Amino acid sequence: MPDVLYDVDGAVATITLNRPDRLNAMGGQLIPEALDAIERAAGDDAVRVVVLTGAGRGFCAGGDLTGGAGGGLEGPMPVETKIRHLREYMRSSQLLYEMPKITIAAVNGACAGAGLSWACACDLRYAADSAKFTTAFINAGLSGDFGGTWLLPRILGPAKARELYLLGDRFDAREALDLGFVSAIVPAEQLLDHVREVADKLLAKAPVALGRIKANLNDAEHVSFTEALDREADRHVRTSQTSDAAEAARAFVEKRPPTFTGR
Ligand code: T3D
């Protein structure tokens, strides 16, 4: 069995991390296969929403502590080579965060370490009632990778993110919801159906506008207010020129649901 499964249904790609006996820890070929799958979804014009989830009772337990790192990060090689390989694999987080499609983490269970970083990189997160979370790196004597230390402070605020990274405590789905880390808690057996409903809701919206809203929100993390206003103005005017924007206005006036084409 591959360590990552890839499935497309309509315009929704589902990437399933698939090492269930290890809570989908990042050993074997899980990291390179996940990067391939994320690249594939990002590059497929027919895919508009990407769902990341895990097989079995885990979402992703982070680095594999039993066999060390997977995907060629282990073994005798110069540290600079390892850094280069890891950085290449970490493009997975960058793609989830930056691709102009909406990415959703369906956190079906344990979500730890670099697995939590991947969840952070997604636009939206939904948790099964059985999900549990930990930044975990400090418990493994590590400092953090796959972007979590950049992303989590932006999601939760710097004080809470610092606490979670420095202490490494576990938190459950209820606390994740209270913190605003996930948008909803769903009974485990209904999680993927719920996420599909969210995806369908997104599919009914204008794709260019969605992608540009994501770009604006991403820019807001790191550019000045002046620069953000410049980029908002540019994207807003360009988006207003699309036929989807005209269709949205027509549909509103005609009191009917809009039909978007992505142009
Ligand atoms: O490779 C790379 O370079 C990528 C870099 C990654 C860096 C990191 O992510 S460092 C962080 C590594 N992850 C952790 O430290 C998390 C360790 N795991 C846990 O804290 C807990 O297992 C969980 C909170 C994730 C889940 O707790 P629980 O009580 O639901 O499950 P459990 O009983 O602890 O674990 C169930 C099984 O999964 C168990 O195996 P067994 O005893 O049934 O044979 C456990 O050993 C295994 N497992 C859990 N996490 C990992 C793992 N096996 C390998 N690696 C793991 N990370």
Side-chain angles (χ1 to χ4, degrees), residues 19-23 25-27 31 57 60-70 73 86 110-115 132-137 139-140 142 145-146 170:
R19 298 183 74 232
D21 50 329
R22 294 271 146 237
L23 301 182
M26 294 167 145
I31 304 177
R57 73 176 189 88
C60 175
D64 192 323
L65 300 177
T66 59
L73 289 171
L86 176 60
C111 176
K132 56 185 85 167
F133 303 82
T134 166
T135 58
F137 291 101
N139 304 332
L142 294 168
D145 58 8
F146 287 80
R170 291 185 189 187

